[in-house]
Amino acid sequence: MSRDEQLKERWQQLVTILSDRFADGDVLDLDAIIYLIGVQELGKFNRKFKKDEKMDLMHIAICRLLEPYGYYEFDYFDDAGWPHYTVKEQLPSLKAGEQSILMKDAIVSYFLEKGLIE
C-alpha cells in the first residue's frame, strides 16, 4: 500500500472513530479534529470555551502537531496551565491542499502515538 493510500485509510478510520465518539456520528471536519486535539493538549475537558479561547486551542493543537516536524518547540505552561510554543522554523508556503495533507499526516501520527488507531 502506498503512503498516500495508507494516510487516506487511516484518516477515514480516525474521522469515523472521533465522529462517533464526539459528534454522534456527524462527520467531523479537519478544524473540529484540530480543536479536539487542542482540548486534549490543554487537559481541561469540563468547561466551555470562549471564541478567542477556541482559536487558542486550535493554535495549541497546530503547534503540538507540527512539533515533531521541527516547526515548533514546547516552551512552558503559563499560570493558567496553557501550553506555549516557540517557532523553530517558519512553515513553508503551501497550497491549501498541501496544508491539508500536512495536517492530516500530523493528526494521524498524533493518534498513532496515542494508540487510538493502528
Side-chain angles (χ1 to χ4, degrees), residues 5 9 11-13 16 29 32 41-42 47 66 73 78 82 100 106 108:
E5 290 170 340
E9 185 179 294
W11 177 253
Q12 284 307 121
Q13 178 187 11
T16 299
D29 65 8
E41 288 299 307
L42 181 61
R47 64 169 282 210
L66 297 179
E73 180 176 56
D78 65 19
W82 288 71
S100 177
V108 165

Side-chain angles (χ1 to χ4, degrees), residues 14-42:
L14 182 60
V15 168
T16 299
I17 291 168
L18 294 176
S19 296
D20 288 346
R21 194 172 291 177
F22 295 104
D24 296 325
D26 291 340
V27 178
L28 293 176
D29 65 8
L30 183 63
D31 287 341
I33 293 171
I34 291 171
Y35 172 77
L36 287 174
I37 293 169
V39 173
Q40 171 74 25
E41 288 299 307
L42 181 61

Side-chain angles (χ1 to χ4, degrees), residues 48-99:
K48 297 246 184 216
F49 294 100
K50 297 175 189 164
K51 184 176 181 177
D52 61 325
E53 290 177 319
K54 289 178 181 179
M55 295 303 295
D56 291 342
L57 287 166
M58 292 182 77
H59 178 72
I60 288 168
I62 290 167
C63 292
R64 169 59 182 87
L65 290 166
L66 297 179
E67 184 179 25
Y69 294 79
Y71 295 111
Y72 295 95
E73 180 176 56
F74 174 76
D75 196 12
Y76 67 96
F77 288 102
D78 65 19
D79 293 338
W82 288 71
H84 291 262
Y85 289 81
T86 303
V87 176
K88 285 182 64 181
E89 183 180 327
Q90 291 297 320
L91 284 165
S93 295
L94 299 172
K95 296 176 185 168
E98 295 169 329
Q99 286 178 0

